[in-house]
Amino acid sequence: MSDSAEAIHSRLAELVAPRAQSRIVDLGCGAGPTLVALSRVAPKAALVGIDRSDEFLQLARQGLRGHRGPVMAVIADLRAPLPCGDASADVVLSYNTVECLPDPGQLVAEVARILRPGGRAVLAHVDFDSLVIAGADADLDRRVCHAFADDVQSWMDHADGRIGRKLGLLLARSSLRLVSVEPLLTWSTELSGHAGARIGEIRKALLSADRHGRSPVSAAEVEKWYASVQEADRLGGFFFSELTFIAVAERPSGECLAGGTVQPTRADMVLGRDGRWAPGRSDAA
């Protein structure tokens, strides 16, 4: 599980650049590590976490118990229209979620809809096809890492291990204006922390894939790869890195109707506890 102390969450909070009263929506928020990072830099911002897992949302609520601004946690399926009003968010962000959706373009269109004119979208995703792990021989390592990047795990609707490098193009093809794309490298010389968790995830996912007959590498090959990685760590020659891409876009602020007036918005709509938007600015956590 991603931890709010990881550098990616602090960087996302910096790029969001929230103001005191910003309304920020995190799509696929999980247990809320990015929301916790945002709470540290904008303790009075309105934070909305959307995820389809009630278990994760419960953890997100716990992590935000000390937040002084409004906090909402909403169960929703990101394949469907977002439960948010038009032009109701200052910022929409999402980390490591887009690859799981069969139609990422549809989600980006929804992001554009709920952003206010001048609002910001921040999408970030690990590019799993860029994993570098020292230990096994080249052929086995390539096959294991590529198998993991391509694997559609049981909790996923879709998988695209190269989605990180595609985020800029995804936003450039939308109605939003692409502002920037930047990489963030996570690396370690020890088989512990994030590196240990990721390698454990790879092993678990591919062993499960083999049991279900969908893996191009056998369980024996996965275990051989894992043993080689452990040996590299024992010898002091272990290395791990993964590349995350972060793409930032904005909704153009000059959107007008034919009569020259700014398009009407529902920026004063807030999410109620039932997941529906209602008039007013709630301060209830």
Side-chain angles (χ1 to χ4, degrees):
M1 183 182 297
S2 188
D3 189 290
S4 61
E6 291 177 21
I8 179 63
H9 302 293
S10 296
R11 182 56 184 151
L12 290 175
E14 291 174 0
L15 290 170
V16 166
R19 298 186 300 276
Q21 302 302 320
S22 294
R23 184 177 296 132
I24 304 166
V25 178
D26 186 351
L27 303 177
C29 66
T34 305
L35 292 171
V36 171
L38 283 164
S39 180
R40 289 195 289 261
V41 299
K44 294 184 179 181
L47 303 179
V48 180
I50 298 180
D51 201 280
R52 68 180 182 181
S53 167
D54 183 57
E55 179 182 356
F56 279 149
L57 288 174
Q58 295 279 6
L59 293 172
R61 290 188 189 98
Q62 292 174 20
L64 293 169
R65 278 179 297 186
H67 186 68
R68 288 185 283 161
V71 172
M72 303 301 299
V74 182
I75 296 177
D77 187 339
L78 297 181
R79 295 171 298 180
L82 297 175
C84 309
D86 298 348
S88 57
D90 297 295
V91 180
V92 179
L93 66 93
S94 186
Y95 171 57
N96 273 4
T97 297
V98 178
E99 79 150 331
C100 301
L101 302 174
D103 187 356
Q106 176 180 308
L107 180 69
V108 172
E110 278 293 285
V111 170
R113 177 183 66 79
I114 72 171
L115 276 176
R116 65 168 177 77
R120 172 166 285 204
V122 181
L123 301 184
H125 214 293
V126 174
D127 192 294
F128 290 107
D129 217 27
S130 70
L131 286 168
V132 174
I133 302 171
D137 65 80
D139 177 68
L140 180 57
D141 185 61
R142 287 190 187 110
R143 291 196 296 117
V144 165
C145 290
H146 289 167
F148 176 70
D150 297 337
D151 185 41
V152 182
Q153 298 178 52
S154 60
W155 55 272
M156 302 168 76
D157 299 311
H158 182 266
D160 181 353
R162 294 161 58 90
I163 193 66
R165 69 192 72 179
K166 299 176 183 179
L167 292 179
L169 185 58
L170 181 65
L171 290 171
R173 286 172 169 165
S174 74
S175 62
L176 300 173
R177 181 178 66 86
L178 181 63
V179 174
S180 64
V181 179
E182 66 177 60
L184 188 149
L185 184 69
T186 300
W187 62 276
S188 177
T189 56
E190 296 181 357
L191 184 57
S192 60
H194 179 80
R198 181 69 77 204
I199 287 170
E201 180 186 359
I202 293 170
R203 180 186 181 215
K204 180 180 178 181
L206 293 184
L207 289 176
S208 175
D210 180 69
R211 287 195 301 272
H212 292 87
R214 66 171 191 267
S215 178
V217 290
S218 67
E221 289 175 312
V222 172
E223 295 293 31
K224 179 181 178 181
W225 172 84
Y226 184 63
S228 297
V229 171
Q230 289 182 305
E231 176 68 3
D233 184 56
R234 187 187 70 79
L235 294 173
F238 172 78
F239 182 81
F240 165 91
S241 73
E242 67 180 25
L243 196 58
T244 300
F245 289 95
I246 309 171
V248 179
E250 293 179 350
R251 177 174 170 179
S253 57
E255 296 180 10
C256 298
L257 298 175
T261 58
V262 176
Q263 184 173 349
T265 70
R266 284 186 272 166
D268 289 330
M269 304 290 277
V270 295
L271 273 167
R273 294 186 184 279
D274 60 357
R276 296 179 180 274
W277 290 81
R281 292 184 179 271
S282 170
D283 291 325

